[in-house]
Amino acid sequence: MKLWSQFFIPTLKESPADADITSHKLLVRAGLVRKLAGGLYTYLPLGLRVMRKITQICREEIERGGGIELEMPHLHPVENWQHGPRWPAAREIMFRADSAGDGKRPSREPEFVLGPTHEEVITPLVKAEITSYRDLPKNFYQIATKFRNEIRPRYGLMRAREFVMMDAYSFDVDDPHAIVSYQRMKAAYEAFFRRIGAHAIAVEADTGVMGGSFSHEFMVPAEVGDDDVIYCEASGYAANREKATSALVPKDLADAAPVGATELFPTPGIVTIAALEAAPYSVPADQQFKTLVFMGDGKPFVVILRGGDELEEAKLGSLGFTLFRPATPEEIEPVMGARPGSLGAVRGTIKNAGALAGVFADYAIRLIGNGVTGANQDGHHLRNVNVARDLAVTKFGDFRRVRPGEPCPLSGQPLQVRRGIEVGHIFKLGTKYSEKYGAAYTDDQKQSHPMVMGCYGIGIGRTMQAVIEQSHDADGIVWPWAIAPYQVLVCVLDPQLPEAMELATRLAAAAEAAGADVLVDDRAERPGVKFKDADLIGIPLRVTIGGKGLKEGIIELKARTSKDVRKVPLAEAETQLAAAVHSCRGVA
RNA sequence: CGGGGCGUAGCUUAGCCUGGUAGAGCGCCUGGUUUGGGACCAGGAGGUCGCGAGUUCGAAUCUCGCCGCCCCGACCA
C-alpha cells in the first residue's frame, strides 16, 4: 500500500500547451510523464509503474513464445554498423556518441553510436557463439531503451527520440523453421496485447529498410495514428497502406492489341497529367502513362504508372536499391532527353537508355492498353503507345498506392481505410544479416548454411499511450486492470479521523491479499479534488471512506468504468472488496 | 529539410497592431471560514517578458540574427 501524501503524482487541471492529442494531454495531466525536450520524457513514478507492468507482461509472453532474455549495450561501436547491410540508410537517424574530444579521430565519423535497434549487435554475437544446428533455434530478446533521431518527434511518447522497446531476434536453420518462430512470436504478440487490454490487429506490412520477406504490423486503431490500414471485413484482409494491394488488375488480363502506329504530337507548355486531361487534348488521366525518374544507389531508374495513380514509394523497396530518391530535373534531362512533364519510356526515345538501372512498370498500366506518354522532347507527347509493343519495360511490379473502394485481393469486396497506431512489428528477415555478418551453422551433413533470421519489436511507451488513446473518457484515463499503476484507490475523505485511516489500512490489506496494488489517498484535500484526481489517473476500483459513511456504517465501492456507487456495510467491507478485486482480475 | 504558428511567474495565458507602470486565473505560502465532485475571504511570495544585437530619450511591444517548442508536409527499422 502506498500513501498518496508520501508519493508523487503531480496532476494538472489544465492541459499543457504543447500537447494536442488526448492521450498526450492525459499522460501529462495524470502525472505520468514530464517532457525534458522534444521527444525526451521523464517517466514519473506513476508512469514508471505502468511501464513496468507492461514490460513484465511482455516479458512473460515473449518467454512463452520461446524468447530468451539478455541485454545488449546502448552504445555501439560504429564499425558494427559500417559492416552491416543498412549503414547508409541507418546513419541518418542515429545519434552519434563521440568520446570526449580526444582528437584521435576525424570528427566526420563518430566512434560510437547510440543503438536505434540491435541486429548489428546480436548477429555478430550469434556468429561467434553458435555454430551448430544442434544449438538452433534460438530467439534472444531484451527490453531496453532505443535512440532514434526522429526527423519529427511528436505526440508525446508516440514518436520519441528515446524510447523503450522490446526487441527480439530469432535464428533458425531454414525457412520453414523460421516461419515457425515467426508464428510463435505472432501468437505471443496477440497474447500480449490481449492481456494488457489493448485492441491491436495484425496487418500485413512493408519490410522497409529492414529487408526481409514478409512482416506484420500490430496496429491499435485510432484517429491520431500515423498509418493508414487498408482492410476488408469480408475476408479479414488487412495491410499497411505501404504494402496494400488490390485486385484492380485482373490476373487473366490479356495484353491489349495496338491501335495504330505511335504518333508524335506537340503539347507546348503541357507538363502535368491534369493539363493533358483538359481540352483541347482531352486525354483521361488513366489513358496517360506517368513516367517518374528516381536515383537508386547513384543510378537513375524509371517508374511508369497510370496517370491517375499515385506512386507508393515504399513499394520501390522491392527493387533492391539500398537508397533511392526522386531524381532532380538536372539529373533527368541528360538521361531522358527532356525535363519532367515530357518524359516517357517508349523504346528508342530515351536519350541515354544505357545509363538506366531499369524501367519498372506498375501492373495497372496494362489496363491502359494504348495511351499517351511524353516523347522525351520538351513540349511533345506520343499517342497510340501500346504497352506490350512500345514500352521499354524491364520488369512489371506493384508500385501504386491502393485507394479505398478498390476490390479486395481476397474477396473482391471494396477495401476500406482507417488510421492506426503502430505498436509492434514482426519481420521474417531471411539471411540478409546472417550472410553479411557470416552467422552460419554446420548441419548434420557437415554443410555450412547462413542462419535464417526474424526480428520483432514492441514499442512499450507507445503501447502505453495507445491504450490511453483508446481507453479514456471526459474525466481522464480508464486503465485496464492489468496495467493500471494501482488497481485500487482508497479515497479517505477525512484522513484526520484516526478510525478512517485505520479502516483504510485494513481495506488496503484486504485488497492486497486479493492481489491488487493499492494506493491510499490520505491527502488533506477537499472531496471534489480527490474524486477529480481519482478519475484523472484512472484507477479501476475506488473505495471511498467518508465521515458520513462511517456514521452510517458503510463504505462505498465504485468502478472507474461505471457511474454506479455501491454502498457496503462495514462488516462486509473487506470481503466485498476482496470479491470485487477477484472479479476484476478474472476479467483482465 | 520546406511551409506556418508560438516563446511573458511552476501551469494556462492577457498585454505586442498603435513603444513609456508587466496583469489575470490556476498552483504555492500565512491566517480565517468551509468540508461528498477541482470552495470562499484576507494577506503574501514568485518575472533576465527565450537569447543576442540594433533602432529609440525609452523596447515584452519595432528590426535583424540565433535558439527552443508546436502544427502541416516530406521522412519514418
Side-chain angles (χ1 to χ4, degrees):
Chain A
M1 146 183 145
K2 183 69 82 177
L3 292 177
W4 190 313
S5 66
Q6 288 165 38
F7 200 48
F8 183 66
I9 310 175
T11 59
L12 259 35
K13 270 193 212 177
E14 292 180 285
S15 292
D18 59 9
D20 68 347
I21 68 170
T22 304
S23 54
H24 185 191
K25 290 176 183 168
L26 287 175
L27 273 174
V28 178
R29 287 191 54 211
L32 300 169
V33 303
R34 283 295 183 267
K35 182 167 74 177
L36 171 66
L40 301 174
Y41 288 84
T42 296
Y43 302 103
L44 298 176
L46 205 62
L48 183 61
R49 287 186 65 89
V50 178
M51 293 290 281
R52 289 248 168 90
K53 292 200 173 189
I54 295 174
T55 49
Q56 184 51 34
I57 292 168
C58 184
R59 183 173 285 123
E60 288 168 18
E61 292 305 327
I62 298 299
E63 294 269 348
R64 211 191 303 271
I68 311 165
E69 189 169 16
L70 49 61
E71 201 165 301
M72 291 178 265
H74 297 106
L75 220 46
H76 302 172
V78 71
E79 287 80 3
N80 278 62
W81 285 85
Q82 287 167 330
H83 297 156
R86 55 176 168 171
W87 168 241
R91 61 188 304 180
E92 315 230 329
I93 60 120
M94 286 195 290
F95 287 106
R96 36 191 294 169
D98 302 298
S99 47
D102 60 6
K104 286 179 188 158
R105 284 180 182 243
S107 60
R108 275 191 70 247
E109 293 297 357
E111 187 172 1
F112 298 103
V113 293
L114 286 167
T117 173
H118 284 72
E119 285 80 3
E120 278 74 358
V121 176
I122 192 78
T123 314
L125 176 80
V126 168
K127 168 200 162 54
E129 303 299 331
I130 297 181
T131 51
S132 162
Y133 74 98
R134 294 174 193 274
D135 295 324
L136 294 175
K138 282 285 178 286
N139 184 348
F140 296 106
Y141 80 98
Q142 63 176 352
I143 299 174
T145 300
K146 300 288 185 291
F147 303 86
R148 293 182 194 175
N149 195 3
E150 292 290 347
I151 298 168
R152 184 175 156 208
R154 61 179 142 181
Y155 297 155
L157 301 181
M158 210 77 103
R159 184 177 301 183
R161 294 197 286 191
E162 179 181 326
F163 57 96
V164 177
M165 178 169 152
M166 186 293 299
D167 50 318
Y169 309 89
S170 65
F171 297 83
D172 280 279
V173 292
D174 58 19
D175 237 45
H177 287 85
I179 289 170
V180 170
S181 294
Y182 184 89
Q183 294 298 349
R184 286 188 77 187
M185 289 301 273
K186 187 158 178 276
Y189 272 46
E190 280 158 0
F192 164 72
F193 287 115
R194 196 178 328 113
R195 274 186 69 190
I196 63 166
H199 305 289
I201 52 171
V203 310
E204 290 180 27
D206 182 69
T207 52
V209 182
M210 290 300 308
S213 37
F214 58 88
S215 93
H216 286 84
E217 278 176 356
F218 283 76
M219 310 285 293
V220 169
E223 280 312 304
V224 299
D226 271 350
D227 297 281
D228 285 326
V229 179
I230 308 287
Y231 68 101
C232 166
E233 287 183 14
S235 66
Y237 176 81
N240 185 296
R241 156 151 281 164
E242 295 180 345
K243 173 79 176 180
T245 60
S246 72
L248 188 70
V249 183
K251 286 208 162 34
D252 53 0
L253 181 71
D255 283 327
V259 294
T262 60
E263 196 178 351
L264 187 72
F265 65 104
T267 49
I270 301 300
V271 295
T272 63
I273 302 283
L276 206 54
E277 242 186 324
Y281 306 103
S282 304
V283 183
D286 283 342
Q287 287 302 123
Q288 301 182 37
F289 297 96
K290 180 186 280 189
T291 307
L292 306 171
V293 183
F294 278 74
M295 299 299 287
D297 297 335
K299 283 192 82 175
F301 67 92
V302 171
V303 181
I304 314 172
L305 298 161
R306 281 200 307 176
D309 283 340
E310 267 190 88
L311 174 68
E312 181 53 68
E313 231 179 276
K315 290 182 177 176
L316 296 181
S318 66
L319 297 175
F321 297 104
T322 307
L323 273 182
F324 56 85
R325 59 167 173 83
T328 64
E330 292 68 33
E331 289 167 332
I332 292 170
E333 192 163 8
V335 179
M336 302 299 288
R339 297 174 70 81
S342 305
L343 302 178
V346 172
R347 277 196 197 87
T349 66
I350 300 171
K351 187 174 176 187
N352 184 7
L356 291 173
V359 175
F360 304 101
D362 185 79
Y363 291 123
I365 68 164
R366 299 180 60 220
L367 294 169
I368 299 177
N370 294 281
V372 170
T373 191
N376 291 325
Q377 300 174 34
D378 286 339
H380 290 81
H381 280 75
L382 290 166
R383 64 167 68 99
N384 296 339
V385 172
N386 181 267
V387 172
R389 181 190 65 186
D390 300 322
L391 292 177
V393 175
T394 313
K395 190 182 159 198
F396 280 88
D398 173 26
F399 304 117
R400 64 186 289 279
R401 171 172 288 190
V402 165
R403 279 186 292 237
E406 291 177 7
C408 165
L410 301 182
S411 70
Q413 296 297 304
L415 288 167
Q416 295 178 274
V417 64
R418 73 185 300 183
R419 307 285 288 171
I421 301 166
E422 181 192 343
V423 287
H425 207 152
I426 58 180
F427 296 91
K428 182 176 161 294
L429 271 182
T431 55
K432 178 175 175 176
Y433 290 84
S434 49
E435 283 181 23
K436 191 80 183 177
Y437 288 101
Y441 68 95
T442 306
D443 67 14
D444 59 359
Q445 308 295 314
K446 302 178 184 173
Q447 296 294 307
S448 181
H449 305 278
M451 297 178 201
V452 183
M453 293 175 60
C455 74
Y456 317 89
I458 292 175
I460 302 293
R462 185 183 279 192
T463 296
M464 171 167 78
Q465 188 168 346
V467 168
I468 297 173
E469 192 63 39
Q470 71 177 191
S471 183
H472 68 267
D473 62 19
D475 294 312
I477 301 170
V478 181
W479 284 118
W481 184 270
I483 62 169
Y486 291 93
Q487 287 131 348
V488 172
L489 175 64
V490 180
C491 216
V492 187
L493 300 187
D494 302 281
Q496 75 285 359
L497 297 177
E499 64 267 37
M501 282 307 294
E502 190 272 331
L503 178 59
T505 306
R506 265 188 15 237
L507 291 179
E512 278 176 349
D517 294 325
V518 182
L519 179 66
V520 175
D521 187 354
D522 62 331
R523 295 174 300 166
E525 289 287 352
R526 298 168 57 84
V529 174
K530 293 182 177 232
F531 292 145
K532 285 291 183 189
D533 274 347
D535 288 345
L536 180 58
I537 69 173
I539 308 301
L541 203 53
R542 191 181 83 196
V543 181
T544 308
I545 299 174
K548 284 181 184 172
L550 285 179
K551 280 180 191 143
E552 290 175 44
I554 56 120
I555 55 123
E556 292 164 14
L557 285 183
K558 179 183 171 300
R560 178 63 180 84
T561 50
S562 156
K563 291 286 175 211
D564 299 331
V565 175
R566 184 147 57 94
K567 298 193 174 186
V568 177
L570 285 181
E572 298 168 30
E574 283 166 86
T575 52
Q576 289 226 24
L577 175 57
V581 169
H582 283 307
S583 122
C584 287
R585 288 181 67 193
V587 173

